[in-house]
Amino acid sequence: MSFISYFINGLSLGSVYAIIALGYTMVYGIAKMLNFAHGDVIMIGGYVVFTVVSTMGLGPVAGILLAVILCTVLGVVIEGVAYRPLRMASPLAVLITAIGVSYLLQNIALLVFGSNPKSFTSVVTIPALKLSQGKLTISGETIVTIVSCVIIMIGLTMFIKKTRAGQAMLAVSEDKGAAQLMGINVDGTIALTFAIGSALAAVAGALLCSAYPTLTPYTGSMPGIKAFVAAVFGGIGSIPGALIGGLLLGVIENLSKAYISSQLSDAIVFAVLIVVLLVKPTGILGKKINEKV
Amino acid sequence: MEKSMKMKFCLNKTLKSNMITFGLVIAAFIIVQLLVNAGQVSSLMKGLLVPICIYTIMAISLNLTVGILGELSLGHAGFMCMGAFSSSLFSISMLEAIPNPGIRFFFAILIGAFFAALAGIVVGIPVLRLRGDYLAIVTLAFGEIIKNVMNVIYIGKDADGLHFSTKNAMALNMAEEGKVIINGAQGITGTPKNSTFAIGVILILITLVIVLNLINSRSGRAIMSVRDNRIAAESIGINITKYKLMAFTISASLAGVAGVLYSHNLSALTATQKNFGYNQSIMILVFVVLGGIGNIRGSMIAAVILTLLPELLRGLNTYRMLIYAIILIVMMIFNWSPKLIDFRKRYFHKNRA
C-alpha cells in the first residue's frame, strides 16, 4: 500500500512539474531561449496568493485569479524589457540575461517579503479521499493538482490545434522569418506565449505551496530547475513531452526519497537527466535537429 | 619581410598585454603587503585577502570556459567543492605522515587540482556532446550532484586506513582511536589553516601563466575557433571534443585549486547551498560578465572589486544581489542589443569606420 501512496504523491508532484515545464517548453519552442526566471514567477504567484488569502482575507479563488493576472503581466513585462532587445543576440547573452532576471525577482521578493518563511494555508478545500478501508489516503491537494494538470493539458492542446493564435504559435516555432512573411505578428505571438506560460506558473505556484506549505523567496528556484529538467527529459518544445517528463520526474523523485535517501533524491533526479541526454540528446519525444551551415 | 615584422609586432602585443596582467597582480601584492606590514589594513580587510585570491582564480577559471571556450558552465562551484573536500581529506589524513605544512599543502593543491580535473573529465566527456542551453543545465545538475553527494559521505581514519560509508558515522566500523574526517552534512573540521595571501597570489600567477599561455597557443586558437564557428572549425579538421574537453578540464582543475585555498582557509568546511551551490556559480559568472567575457584581466579586476565593495559599503549588503542582477541584465542588453550596437556604432565609432 505504501508504494501506491508514494506513487500517487509522485504523480501529484509530477503534475506540478508538468504544469511548470509547459511554460518552459512553450517558451523554448517559440523563442528558442531558456527562461530561467520561470521558477521565480512561480514564487511571485505563490506570494500573491498568500498575500490575498492570508493578509487581505479574500477567498482562494480571488487569490488565484489575481495571481494569474499579475503573473501574466509580469511575464509579458519581463519578455518586453529583458528578452525582446536580445532577440538576435547570442544564446549565451540571452541565457545570462535570464539568470539576471531570475536573481532580480528573487531579490525583489527578499526585500519586499523578507527572508523569513511564510506559512502558506492551502487553497484547496476538497476533503481527502480514503480508499480500501482507510489504508490509502489521497489528499485533496493531490486530487486537485492531478485534475488541474489534465485540464490544462487538454485545454492547451485544443488551444494550439484549434485557434488562430495557437496556429500562429506553431508557425513561429517552426520558422520565425517565414511566419513573419505570412503576416503573423511574431513579437505579439512570443508575448502571448510568455503570458500563457506565466499564467500557468501562477497556478503551479498556488498548487506547489498548497502541497509544501512554506514560502520563501527561493521557493521557486528548485522546482523551476527540476521542471526544466522535466521539459528536457520529455523533449524540450514538445507539450506531451512536458507532461511525460514532469510525471516521470515526480515519480522518480518521490520513490527515491522513499526507498533510497531523501538527501540524494535531487542528485538522482539530475543523474537521470544526464543519462537520458546521453542516450537521446533531444529528450524522449524530442525532434532531431538538423543544423544548417 | 613586412609580414614577419607584423608577426613580431603581434607577438609583442600579446606579450605586453600579458606582462601588464602579471605586473598588476604583483604590484597589487606588493602594495597590500606593504600596507599590512605598516599596520594600515584592518582585520576585516585582512580576512578578505585570501577570499579575494579564491574568487580571482575562480573568475579566471570560469572565463576560460565561458569566454574562451564559449560554453556556459553553471556548475563551477561544484568543481571548487571537489577540490576543497579532496584536499582537506588529504591534509587531515596526512597530518602525521607529512609534518612539514609547506610540503603537505603543496601536495594538497596538486590533489585538489587532480580530483577537480577528474570531475571535469567525468562531466566533460558526456556533456560536451551537448551544446549551449543543454550544457548549461547539465553542468548545473552536476554541480548539485557533487554538493548532494558530499553531504552523505562519511569517511573516517584509523590504524587500518580509511573507512567509507554513506549512512552515518557509526557505520564506519572503526577501531577505538579512529577519527571521523568527513562527517556527512557536518562536513570537515580541523583542516590545517595553510592558506595565506602570498600563496594565494602565487597561485593566481600560476593560474595566469597556464591560462594566458593556453590562449596564445595553437590549442588556444583551436579552442577559440570552436567557439566562433563550430562547423567551420570541424570542417578544417579540428577535433572539437578534444579541445573542448581540454579547456573544460583545465578550467575545472583551476576551480579545484581555488577550492583548496578555500578549504585551507576555514576551520570548518560544509557543502551548503551558500558556498558550493548554484548561487556561488552565478556570483562568479557575474565577475566574468562584468569584467568582460573573454577578458582575463577584466574578470580579475571585477572579482577583486566585487568582493571588496560589499564589505566597504556595509549598507549595500542587503541590496548586493539585487545590484548584481541588474548589472547582469543591463550589461547583456548594452552589449548585445542590436539597437544599442547600432547606436554605439553611429555615435562613438565614427572615426574608426
Side-chain angles (χ1 to χ4, degrees):
Chain A
M1 246 350 141
S2 68
F3 174 79
I4 297 175
S5 72
Y6 288 134
F7 188 79
I8 291 174
N9 283 336
L11 281 185
S12 158
L13 180 64
S15 302
V16 178
Y17 286 158
I19 297 174
I20 309 169
L22 267 181
Y24 267 115
T25 240
M26 286 171 61
V27 167
Y28 193 90
I30 289 191
K32 296 281 175 286
M33 64 160 290
L34 276 184
N35 183 14
F36 250 93
H38 197 65
D40 304 291
V41 176
I42 299 166
M43 174 268 300
I44 301 276
Y47 269 112
V48 172
V49 176
F50 168 80
T51 314
V52 171
V53 176
S54 303
T55 322
M56 293 158 72
L58 295 171
V61 177
I64 293 182
L65 267 181
L66 208 63
V68 167
I69 294 168
L70 280 178
C71 284
T72 309
V73 173
L74 182 67
V76 175
V77 169
I78 290 174
E79 196 274 326
V81 173
Y83 302 150
R84 187 168 299 177
L86 295 173
R87 199 58 52 76
M88 299 297 157
S90 81
L92 188 68
V94 183
L95 198 56
I96 293 175
T97 313
I99 290 169
V101 173
S102 155
Y103 254 57
L104 189 67
L105 292 181
Q106 273 178 23
N107 286 286
I108 289 174
L110 197 63
L111 288 176
V112 174
F113 298 102
S115 58
N116 288 338
K118 302 264 189 284
S119 60
F120 191 93
T121 40
S122 172
V123 293
V124 176
T125 43
I126 292 174
L129 191 68
K130 285 195 166 45
L131 292 174
S132 56
Q133 291 98 40
K135 274 184 197 156
L136 181 66
T137 317
I138 304 174
S139 69
E141 284 86 5
T142 308
I143 300 169
V144 169
T145 308
I146 296 178
V147 168
S148 41
C149 177
V150 171
I151 293 173
I152 287 172
M153 284 296 161
I154 294 172
L156 207 60
T157 316
M158 297 296 275
F159 174 78
I160 288 180
K161 287 222 168 107
K162 304 281 180 196
T163 63
R164 282 181 76 87
Q167 294 287 310
M169 280 182 174
L170 277 182
V172 173
S173 77
E174 205 61 44
D175 188 331
K176 253 183 243 165
Q180 196 148 31
L181 289 178
M182 295 296 133
I184 292 171
N185 179 354
V186 172
D187 278 344
T189 308
I190 293 179
L192 177 68
T193 313
F194 270 85
I196 294 175
S198 307
L200 294 181
V203 175
L207 292 172
L208 192 72
C209 295
S210 297
Y212 302 92
T214 48
L215 190 55
T216 69
Y218 309 107
T219 300
S221 73
M222 220 10 155
I225 291 171
K226 284 201 195 130
F228 173 69
V229 168
V232 172
F233 204 51
I236 197 154
S238 147
I239 287 177
L243 178 67
I244 293 173
L247 292 179
L248 266 177
L249 203 68
V251 170
I252 292 172
E253 183 178 335
N254 250 23
L255 292 183
S256 57
K257 248 185 204 150
Y259 293 106
I260 303 175
S261 153
S262 59
Q263 270 177 320
L264 277 180
S265 72
D266 286 357
I268 292 168
V269 164
F270 289 129
V272 170
L273 165 82
I274 292 162
V275 172
V276 167
L277 283 182
L278 291 182
V279 179
K280 207 162 181 304
T282 49
I284 298 171
L285 294 182
K287 283 181 281 186
K288 197 174 179 303
I289 312 154
N290 283 320
E291 218 166 329
K292 286 176 221 151
V293 183
Chain B
M1 187 64 198
E2 201 191 32
K3 202 182 167 196
S4 75
M5 284 290 287
K6 224 176 188 175
M7 285 281 286
K8 211 173 169 189
F9 181 71
C10 265
L11 203 71
N12 283 341
K13 210 166 117 194
T14 44
L15 197 69
K16 210 168 113 188
S17 163
N18 290 354
M19 283 302 140
I20 293 174
T21 313
F22 287 119
L24 271 179
V25 177
I26 293 166
F29 172 71
I30 292 171
I31 293 169
V32 171
Q33 271 305 342
L34 285 177
L35 285 176
V36 169
N37 290 344
Q40 293 290 310
V41 178
S42 67
S43 61
L44 180 80
M45 281 296 134
K46 264 187 209 157
L48 276 178
L49 291 178
V50 178
I52 285 177
C53 297
I54 295 166
Y55 290 127
T56 308
I57 297 176
M58 282 303 279
I60 298 171
S61 139
L62 188 63
N63 212 342
L64 181 60
T65 307
V66 177
I68 310 302
L69 180 62
E71 299 285 5
L72 185 54
S73 161
L74 292 178
H76 235 57
F79 297 125
M80 187 175 162
C81 181
M82 199 72 199
F85 273 83
S86 57
S87 65
S88 265
L89 179 63
F90 171 82
S91 285
I92 293 179
S93 47
M94 289 295 160
L95 269 179
E96 287 103 32
I98 310 176
N100 183 329
I103 297 170
R104 194 177 57 229
F105 192 45
F106 176 73
F107 281 110
I109 291 169
L110 291 186
I111 294 270
F114 172 76
F115 277 97
L118 206 64
I121 294 174
V122 169
V123 178
I125 289 176
V127 160
L128 290 171
R129 288 168 44 196
L130 308 166
R131 279 197 308 277
D133 304 337
Y134 285 98
L135 185 81
I137 203 76
V138 173
T139 48
L140 195 165
F142 259 109
E144 295 292 314
I145 290 176
I146 290 178
K147 198 189 73 204
N148 275 342
V149 168
M150 285 303 170
N151 274 322
V152 294
I153 282 183
Y154 293 84
I155 293 179
K157 185 189 171 225
D158 62 8
D160 301 335
L162 291 177
H163 292 251
F164 178 84
S165 161
T166 55
K167 274 206 203 77
N168 54 45
M170 298 307 287
L172 289 171
N173 278 329
M174 285 190 302
E176 278 293 308
E177 79 288 353
K179 188 172 74 167
V180 180
I181 299 177
I182 300 184
N183 193 4
Q186 273 135 41
I188 299 181
T189 46
T191 311
K193 285 183 124 190
N194 294 130
S195 296
T196 62
F197 183 49
I199 292 176
V201 170
I202 294 169
L203 288 176
I204 292 178
L205 289 175
I206 296 173
T207 308
L208 276 176
V209 169
I210 295 172
V211 172
L212 292 178
N213 271 321
L214 176 73
I215 293 174
N216 295 319
S217 71
R218 190 188 166 86
S219 309
R221 282 189 288 273
I223 291 167
M224 282 185 275
S225 75
V226 174
R227 171 195 68 184
D228 292 337
N229 193 330
R230 197 181 57 85
I231 296 169
E234 204 167 20
S235 70
I236 55 166
I238 286 173
N239 184 344
I240 292 185
T241 316
K242 177 185 150 193
Y243 285 109
K244 271 187 167 180
L245 194 62
M246 179 195 246
F248 196 70
T249 309
I250 293 174
S251 171
S253 73
L254 294 176
V257 171
V260 178
L261 266 181
Y262 185 85
S263 68
H264 288 72
N265 189 37
L266 296 169
S267 43
L269 175 73
T270 50
T272 61
Q273 191 59 40
K274 203 173 155 230
N275 57 5
F276 294 130
Y278 164 65
N279 285 11
Q280 180 83 311
S281 299
I282 301 286
M283 200 174 83
I284 294 150
L285 181 68
V286 174
F287 299 157
V288 172
V289 171
L290 187 70
I293 294 177
N295 185 336
I296 301 291
R297 197 191 305 156
S299 56
M300 284 167 58
I301 296 170
V304 173
I305 292 176
L306 287 186
T307 317
L308 283 177
L309 209 56
E311 302 294 332
L312 293 175
L313 307 166
R314 273 272 157 204
L316 263 183
N317 226 350
T318 347
Y319 298 93
R320 182 172 67 146
M321 295 322 268
L322 192 72
I323 294 169
Y324 279 10
I326 295 172
I327 288 175
L328 274 182
I329 300 171
V330 171
M331 287 291 288
M332 282 299 127
I333 293 180
F334 183 75
N335 277 337
W336 289 96
S337 159
K339 274 184 194 150
L340 279 171
I341 291 174
D342 274 356
F343 177 81
R344 278 205 304 275
K345 264 189 196 149
R346 205 170 304 152
Y347 294 100
F348 296 108
H349 299 298
K350 255 183 187 159
N351 304 336
R352 281 191 211 172

